[in-house]
Amino acid sequence: MKKLCWYAIKMKVLIVFGTRPEVIKLAPLIHEFKKYPDLFDIRVCSTGQHQEMVKSIISFFNITVDYNLNLMRENQSLTLLMANVLIGLKKVIDEFKPENIIVQGDTTSVLAGSIVGYYNKITITHLEAGLRSGNKFSPFPEEINRKVVGSIADYHFAPSNIAVDNLFKEKITKNVWNVGNTVIDAIHMALKFINNVGIYKNFFLSRKIDMSKRIILVTAHRRESFGNHFVDMCEAIKVIGEKYDDVVIVYPVHLNPNVQRVAKKILSNTNNVYLLEPLEYPFLVWLMSQSYFVLTDSGGIQEEAPSLNKPVLVMREVTERQEGIKAGVSKLVGTKKENIIKEASALLEDNQIYKSMIDAGNPYGDGTASKKIVDIYKKMKLESYK
Ligand code: UD1
Ligand code: UDP
């Protein structure tokens, strides 16, 4: 096994991402690494698993993509995507010859990145390591992706003590650090940028959304919910929109055609419900900051919302983000229509319940994860001289 070459003049590191949350969570780390051009030769590879949905994020965070595999195809299967990422990444590795590959999270691009690294005896670093739901098919296919990446990776940056414990339970105890989640670094970067309130508010006003009402931000896209669960989720949103006239539901719809089709069929022309295109990251963060609460199945949004002091109702049967549940800032409401309506109504009508879900701080990090990670890289590099 080729060991990380900490003693080299510059360490050659390939950072791989494919989807929206990966770019957001890797952006602060890329910037932190780039502060040390004498120590690290950082190259960034986008697999292109997502296309439109990452374009504005790459430009917002001012990231230079060195390799783009351009792999997105309409509604492509996991198998084809996986095969193409493996083939595409092999070419990048043959050209750049990295000593270390960094992957973040649990997507197909992450799984492929770690497998290509393993096949080529390159060390793998896994960010957001140790998340586990304990259910092989939920989230699907992310739970198994993470477990496989965890078993391959050489360096594990976990976001919490719970995640560290999950790794320990699987006997992964070496090179494990709890650094918090880099998504908190990212949201801090976005919040610094969002100073021109006018632009953001006008964007939503121009879509005829009454911003003086209480806003519920909705997102949903998980594969394990496709079918009846997703129909139930949309029907619940419809009922809530029709029930409360002092509320607007703003739902930027994920571009997955399986999500688009159902969301549009059930929710178009529903009172107080606004379906939008996926929002550019600062617009999403601004909207979240203005919202009353968030109704979502997103992993990243569960982590971000506590930084803006917003309660989260999680439309999933299980969640690997237990930290928010334990802190009381998020609540698992499942995917059944009646329960979603009940829990959303309780938050809208009962101030005591609402208050009990705010002011607990963010259990997912403090905005310093990227610095901690790069400090660990720098330390390991220095120690290799000894
Ligand atoms: C993927 C990840 C999921 C992550 C999510 C974040 C896998 C298996 N799934 O799910 O873990 O939570 O991203 O959003 O890795 N599409 C577009 N434009 C885009 C992006 C997607 O049109 O910019 C459409 C395409 O038709 C594409 C489809 O959405 O084939 C599905 O994309 P894919 O990346 O396979 O899965 P997601 O559902 O986005
Ligand atoms: N996000 C965004 N625009 C949107 C919806 C989400 O920028 O319209 C951001 C959100 O703030 C979070 C990330 O995308 O940082 C979450 O991505 P997603 O929900 O697609 O994936 P998951 O986190 O569930 O893997």
Side-chain angles (χ1 to χ4, degrees):
M1 178 78 168
K2 194 173 160 214
K3 280 198 69 189
L4 249 191
C5 194
W6 302 108
Y7 48 80
I9 300 299
K10 283 189 193 191
M11 188 194 300
K12 291 172 79 172
V13 180
L14 181 68
I15 299 185
V16 177
F17 59 65
T19 69
R20 171 166 72 186
E22 291 163 71
V23 189
I24 292 168
K25 290 171 172 180
L26 282 165
L29 184 68
I30 293 169
H31 282 294
E32 190 63 32
F33 268 122
K34 294 235 167 164
K35 287 182 187 164
Y36 306 97
D38 297 342
L39 297 179
F40 305 106
D41 180 2
I42 300 293
R43 301 278 172 94
V44 173
C45 174
S46 169
T47 66
Q49 176 175 340
H50 281 180
Q51 203 174 344
E52 303 93 313
M53 279 170 44
V54 293
K55 223 170 162 187
S56 70
I57 304 170
I58 289 170
S59 115
F60 173 68
F61 284 107
N62 199 13
I63 295 169
T64 304
V65 174
D66 301 290
Y67 306 96
N68 191 340
L69 306 181
N70 280 314
L71 290 175
M72 202 205 81
R73 302 289 177 272
E74 163 107 24
N75 206 12
Q76 66 187 328
S77 71
L78 295 179
T79 313
L80 186 66
L81 174 63
M82 179 73 185
N84 285 336
V85 182
L86 286 171
I87 294 165
L89 280 179
K90 173 75 170 94
K91 290 182 192 146
V92 174
I93 280 166
D94 287 346
E95 188 184 319
F96 178 46
K97 301 191 173 29
E99 302 156 59
N100 176 236
I101 295 178
I102 300 181
V103 289
Q104 194 289 334
D106 49 25
T107 68
T108 299
S109 293
V110 173
L111 178 63
S114 67
I115 289 180
V116 169
Y118 171 66
Y119 285 168
N120 292 277
K121 302 213 166 94
I122 298 164
T123 59
I124 301 295
T125 298
H126 188 205
L127 256 65
E128 203 181 73
L131 273 61
R132 299 288 184 269
S133 71
N135 182 329
K136 184 174 172 177
F137 289 105
S138 190
F140 171 81
E142 292 83 1
E143 176 75 357
I144 290 299
N145 288 353
R146 296 171 189 143
K147 288 185 86 164
V148 175
V149 178
S151 67
I152 290 175
D154 303 280
Y155 305 94
H156 310 262
F157 290 102
S160 67
N161 287 332
I162 295 178
V164 170
D165 286 347
N166 289 336
L167 292 171
F168 279 23
K169 278 182 208 148
E170 291 170 18
K171 311 250 179 297
I172 299 169
T173 54
K174 211 176 136 204
N175 298 326
V176 174
W177 296 272
N178 175 3
V179 292
N181 198 308
T182 55
V183 78
I184 312 302
D185 310 16
I187 201 169
H188 285 188
M189 286 168 86
L191 285 171
K192 267 189 211 146
F193 181 84
I194 300 172
N195 46 18
N196 190 346
V197 177
I199 293 180
Y200 300 99
K201 193 166 186 178
N202 288 341
F203 174 88
F204 295 100
L205 290 176
S206 73
R207 275 138 182 94
K208 312 248 176 310
I209 301 173
D210 182 349
M211 299 302 282
S212 66
K213 293 186 178 182
R214 289 188 291 177
I215 299 163
I216 304 177
L217 167 64
V218 171
T219 77
H221 70 88
R222 305 230 72 86
R223 270 185 166 73
E224 67 275 8
S225 299
F226 291 170
N228 292 342
H229 289 309
F230 191 56
V231 169
D232 252 33
M233 285 154 66
C234 290
E235 285 182 348
I237 292 162
K238 190 179 179 76
V239 171
I240 299 161
E242 284 169 346
K243 188 172 161 194
Y244 295 97
D245 217 26
D246 65 330
V247 163
V248 284
I249 299 178
V250 185
Y251 176 6
V253 186
H254 192 288
L255 292 182
N256 190 323
N258 303 295
V259 176
Q260 289 270 329
R261 198 180 50 249
V262 180
K264 285 184 177 158
K265 188 168 165 220
I266 299 175
L267 293 168
S268 291
N269 307 315
T270 302
N271 272 351
N272 304 317
V273 176
Y274 295 84
L275 302 183
L276 301 182
E277 64 277 27
L279 293 172
E280 295 186 14
Y281 187 56
F283 286 80
L284 188 285
V285 172
W286 185 82
L287 181 63
M288 201 184 326
S289 75
Q290 301 300 304
S291 69
Y292 193 61
F293 70 85
V294 180
L295 182 60
T296 189
D297 67 7
S298 163
I301 291 180
Q302 284 177 67
E303 294 154 350
E304 289 165 338
S307 285
L308 299 170
N309 218 7
K310 303 298 172 185
V312 185
L313 298 184
V314 182
M315 294 188 287
R316 296 190 186 190
E317 295 304 323
V318 287
T319 180
E320 61 289 349
R321 269 89 177 175
Q322 283 297 324
E323 296 82 352
I325 309 278
K326 289 209 162 101
V329 294
S330 53
K331 188 165 187 187
L332 196 60
V333 299
T335 54
K336 295 218 167 50
K337 180 176 167 183
E338 295 313 324
N339 207 49
I340 297 169
I341 298 169
K342 188 180 113 208
E343 296 290 352
S345 302
L347 256 190
L348 286 168
E349 289 171 20
D350 189 331
N351 212 24
Q352 283 310 106
I353 294 181
Y354 188 84
K355 278 194 179 144
S356 72
M357 291 185 75
I358 56 174
D359 292 331
N362 193 321
Y364 296 102
D366 59 5
T368 60
S370 310
K371 184 172 183 318
K372 285 180 186 138
I373 293 166
V374 174
D375 281 349
I376 290 165
Y377 266 74
K378 279 160 53 188
K379 198 164 165 248
M380 287 198 284
K381 198 168 187 321
L382 274 177
E383 277 168 4
S384 70
Y385 287 110
K386 291 179 188 163

